[in-house]
Amino acid sequence: MGRSSFGKTLVPGSIRVPRPPAGTSKVETVPVLAIQRGSYQRIKILTLMLDPILLRQQPDEVRKHLATRGDDLSEDLVLLAKLDTERRSILPVLESARRARKDVGEQVAKAKQSGEPAEDLIQAGKEHGAAIKEHEARLEVVEAQRDELALTLPNLPHSSVPLGTSEGDNVEIRRHGDPPSFDFTPKAHWDIGPDLGIIDFERATKLAGARFSVLSGAGARLSRALINFMLDLHTTEHGYKEVEPPFLATKAALTGTGNLPKFEADLFRISGDWDLYLIPTAEVPLCNLHRGEILDGRMFPIRYVAYTPCFRSEAGSHGKDVRGLIRQHQFDKVELVAYAIPEESWDVHEALTLHAEEILKRLGLPYRTMLLCTGDMGFASAKTYDLEVWLPGQNGYREISSCSNTEAFQARRAGIRFRREGKGKPEYVHTLNGSGVAVGRALLAILENGQQRDGSVVIPPVLRSYMGGQEVIEPG
């Protein structure tokens, strides 16, 4: 299968930066000015979400590689180039006018000190001031149009991502575990859960409508056991720092991760005067923890893990997975987020993916690791691995985790930079994220893979200490 080669230009050389001594880490904050403009907030720290040098010097290459995602963005890129050119033409004229006003101001001061007439100079100063206001106003309009358009452009695929248009072009990297064999016809979780009395879809519909569920008894305890098991493993063995973030996020935060402005229909917004949305994933707060900051490069990699409920409207699901726990408006997830210097981010990406895989291994769930093609990746991703768990009741593999490296894409939007050795010119950090893993999908995978002929479900050994020693969930 063909490969894109353009992504190689985005990866700097290999310079390894040591961690700082204990107690010496520093964080430099940079003010982020948010201005209300249209349907989202324009973050003044933003320039272009993609590298402006690439857009300016290699527009045809950028166009070609964005096209591998399946969208023709030629017109947007042409308009973006025009806006960038206009902006660059305004800047020297504006600076010239400012210098001229400053010079005139100095001349006026000297004229007044010497008693000479200054009326003509004062008039010239007013004319320069009017010109400055005109240029500043035009610059603000051009930058607003440029930033609004740039926010809708997806990330460039990395060179190692296979070309393709749909999930059928994704590449299997590895498998772990064999699907279980049954001497009976295995049931789907939407039958197992209600039969055990631990999942209630009908009452959930009465409470909140379609695509919700109520877990009770052993079902609620199993969900809590999964959350605690995942958090314990990631914090004690994988080196992540646990965070309990807000479950609501501002427009600025959602713009930083790439959810806004393009995917607002997928979000739940709080009514009234609140500038808040329910988070679709803990990636949003974890990736925005350092928004507008300049970090010490010796701190990396920084790894965070968080459990949160997640909320999605599933506006683009088009009626897929309407039964069961696969695709709900509210679901629980343990999320992994990492910050890395550019030359180390791909090693961090591989490690993060293996950390998510370890959850499935210890739960004894068969899964496969898929490398997504260019046409199946998320908006912000440069490269993504999906972990797909085996579901006997559906006789197939289904996604349970998605692990992505966004390179500097989110960092540019959120203004997250670092200084090597704590000094020098600031550079954009790379951000990475992955489910570690989706709790509801892990629960349904346990139900389907652990089901027995008598209707009971065997609890994975690694979870039994979290379940008070319970080994089996019995019917009734």
Side-chain angles (χ1 to χ4, degrees):
M1 182 173 292
R3 295 289 192 272
S4 164
S5 61
F6 185 63
K8 293 179 181 177
T9 62
L10 303 180
V11 183
S14 56
I15 303 175
R16 300 194 66 82
V17 180
R19 292 175 180 268
T24 63
S25 298
K26 296 180 180 179
V27 176
E28 179 179 353
T29 58
V30 177
V32 179
L33 175 62
I35 298 177
Q36 187 70 30
R37 184 170 298 280
S39 60
Y40 70 97
Q41 288 181 317
R42 184 164 68 93
I43 311 304
K44 287 295 288 181
I45 201 168
L46 295 176
T47 52
L48 293 176
M49 311 318 127
L50 299 177
D51 189 337
I53 296 177
L54 291 174
L55 286 165
R56 193 174 300 134
Q57 297 181 356
Q58 303 181 56
D60 291 337
E61 288 295 310
V62 172
R63 185 179 300 108
K64 180 176 71 174
H65 288 82
L66 286 179
T68 65
R69 285 179 165 272
D71 297 320
D72 184 1
L73 300 171
S74 299
E75 292 184 3
D76 289 343
L77 290 170
V78 169
L79 178 56
L80 191 62
K82 289 181 178 179
L83 290 168
D84 188 49
T85 298
E86 183 174 357
R87 174 183 176 274
R88 296 173 69 208
S89 68
I90 294 172
L91 289 174
V93 177
L94 175 59
E95 290 305 313
S96 178
R98 287 170 174 167
R99 286 194 300 270
R101 182 176 63 177
K102 180 180 178 182
D103 292 342
V104 168
E106 293 173 352
Q107 294 175 37
V108 169
K110 290 179 180 178
K112 288 183 177 181
Q113 288 176 355
S114 61
E116 297 177 2
E119 287 78 8
D120 291 344
L121 291 172
I122 292 173
Q123 180 59 34
K126 291 180 179 180
E127 291 174 359
H128 288 311
I132 289 169
K133 288 184 179 180
E134 180 181 348
H135 295 316
E136 286 178 338
R138 181 54 188 163
L139 180 63
E140 182 177 352
V141 170
V142 169
E143 287 186 337
Q145 293 174 340
R146 182 197 63 165
D147 289 350
E148 186 169 3
L149 180 58
L151 285 169
T152 66
L153 297 179
N155 202 356
L156 291 170
H158 186 259
S159 59
S160 60
V161 175
L163 299 176
T165 59
S166 68
E167 63 181 21
D169 297 315
N170 296 340
V171 177
E172 182 173 322
I173 301 300
R174 53 185 171 266
R175 290 194 185 200
H176 180 83
D178 297 320
S181 58
F182 300 92
D183 58 1
F184 59 93
T185 301
K187 297 188 295 184
H189 70 278
W190 53 73
D191 293 321
I192 299 171
D195 289 347
L196 290 171
I198 63 173
I199 304 178
D200 194 328
F201 295 109
E202 292 183 2
R203 287 189 173 90
T205 301
K206 180 172 63 176
L207 295 173
R211 293 186 185 268
F212 289 92
S213 62
V214 172
L215 301 180
S216 61
R221 188 167 190 179
L222 180 58
S223 178
R224 179 159 47 92
L226 281 164
I227 294 167
N228 289 332
F229 160 65
M230 294 177 194
L231 290 174
D232 286 347
L233 179 60
H234 292 314
T235 55
T236 62
E237 297 189 28
H238 296 158
Y240 291 81
K241 181 179 182 179
E242 185 175 354
V243 176
E244 184 178 349
F247 301 160
L248 297 168
T250 63
K251 288 180 179 178
L254 287 154
T255 300
T257 48
N259 301 88
L260 288 178
K262 192 167 185 177
F263 303 103
E264 186 166 13
D266 293 330
L267 303 173
F268 286 109
R269 184 175 184 178
I270 302 301
S271 63
D273 296 330
W274 297 93
D275 176 30
L276 292 171
Y277 296 76
L278 294 170
I279 60 170
T281 165
E283 173 192 344
V284 175
L286 294 182
C287 282
N288 279 276
L289 280 178
H290 298 293
R291 180 161 53 91
E293 296 179 5
I294 299 178
L295 305 173
D296 189 322
R298 294 168 293 181
M299 298 169 60
F300 296 112
I302 300 171
R303 292 185 171 99
Y304 294 126
V305 61
Y307 152 71
T308 66
C310 305
F311 306 89
R312 299 181 187 177
S313 72
E314 298 293 352
S317 63
H318 306 298
K320 289 177 60 179
D321 301 314
V322 293
R323 299 187 68 184
L325 300 174
I326 288 285
R327 198 180 299 272
Q328 298 215 304
H329 291 313
Q330 175 185 326
F331 58 96
D332 291 330
K333 185 155 66 78
V334 171
E335 184 74 7
L336 308 174
V337 163
Y339 296 74
I341 60 176
E343 62 269 22
E344 294 182 356
S345 71
W346 295 106
D347 289 337
V348 174
H349 185 216
E350 296 295 329
L352 184 147
T353 303
L354 292 176
H355 294 157
E357 289 185 31
E358 188 62 26
I359 294 292
L360 303 180
K361 288 180 180 178
R362 298 201 188 187
L363 290 173
L365 296 173
Y367 71 91
R368 65 182 184 181
T369 303
M370 306 292 292
L371 174 58
L372 300 194
C373 70
T374 54
D376 198 33
M377 289 196 307
F379 175 80
S381 176
K383 182 177 181 179
T384 297
Y385 292 113
D386 269 7
L387 308 185
E388 298 180 348
V389 68
W390 176 257
L391 298 182
Q394 299 172 55
N395 194 36
Y397 287 94
R398 299 301 304 271
E399 179 200 338
I400 193 170
S401 172
S402 189
C403 302
S404 300
N405 187 350
T406 73
E407 292 189 311
F409 185 80
Q410 291 178 329
R412 287 182 181 277
R413 299 170 74 100
I416 309 170
R417 296 178 290 171
F418 73 99
R419 299 184 192 272
R420 295 182 183 273
E421 300 291 345
K423 56 187 178 181
K425 182 179 179 180
E427 303 174 43
Y428 287 105
V429 72
H430 282 193
T431 59
L432 307 94
N433 65 82
S435 304
V437 295
V439 177
R441 295 191 182 190
L443 186 148
L444 70 89
I446 290 171
L447 296 184
E448 293 198 11
N449 284 277
Q451 62 183 298
Q452 306 296 304
R453 174 180 284 276
D454 64 359
S456 64
V457 171
V458 175
I459 298 171
V462 74
L463 295 180
R464 292 173 186 172
S465 63
Y466 295 93
M467 297 283 291
Q470 185 176 355
E471 299 181 0
V472 178
I473 301 176
E474 303 280 357

